[in-house]
Amino acid sequence: MSGFKPDHAAIAALVHEEFVQADLRERAARVVEVAKTNAPVDTGRYRDSIHAEDGPDGSVLIVSDVDYAAVVEYGRRNDSRPAHHTIANALDAARD
């Protein structure tokens, strides 16, 4: 008896289909909106830098391109800067 054999190439190609890309971009827009709403604001540079961009493999990435984004997201062990987990929390909050 032969078992199910998935077509891995076809599955990998799905992410490049227009309907999948449209869905990913819509979801990414929700994540960006939630992240910007909940971002800590000092100057506003971090909040304003949060955006979605196309990944190299068909993914959509949520990023902040300020040089201190990792400190805002993860905090610092050796001083009083707490982790905000802005983007991680937005990913959780924007789920259907």
Side-chain angles (χ1 to χ4, degrees), residues 15-96:
V15 73
H16 299 287
E17 293 290 334
E18 188 52 42
F19 75 97
V20 174
Q21 286 294 304
D23 184 64
L24 286 172
R25 287 186 185 101
E26 180 182 314
R27 290 171 187 267
R30 286 196 310 255
V31 173
V32 168
E33 180 180 349
V34 170
K36 285 185 172 197
T37 299
N38 296 313
V41 177
D42 185 14
T43 66
R45 281 186 59 221
Y46 172 70
R47 178 200 57 217
D48 295 344
S49 73
I50 299 170
H51 64 280
E53 53 185 58
D54 294 335
D57 57 356
S59 61
V60 178
L61 308 172
I62 309 302
V63 299
S64 168
D65 51 15
V66 294
D67 58 351
Y68 53 88
V71 173
V72 174
E73 188 73 9
Y74 303 115
R76 256 194 215 157
R77 270 191 295 189
N78 300 331
D79 65 23
S80 63
R81 294 178 192 183
H84 288 280
H85 304 292
T86 304
I87 294 174
N89 290 336
L91 287 167
D92 288 339
R95 291 183 183 181
D96 285 339

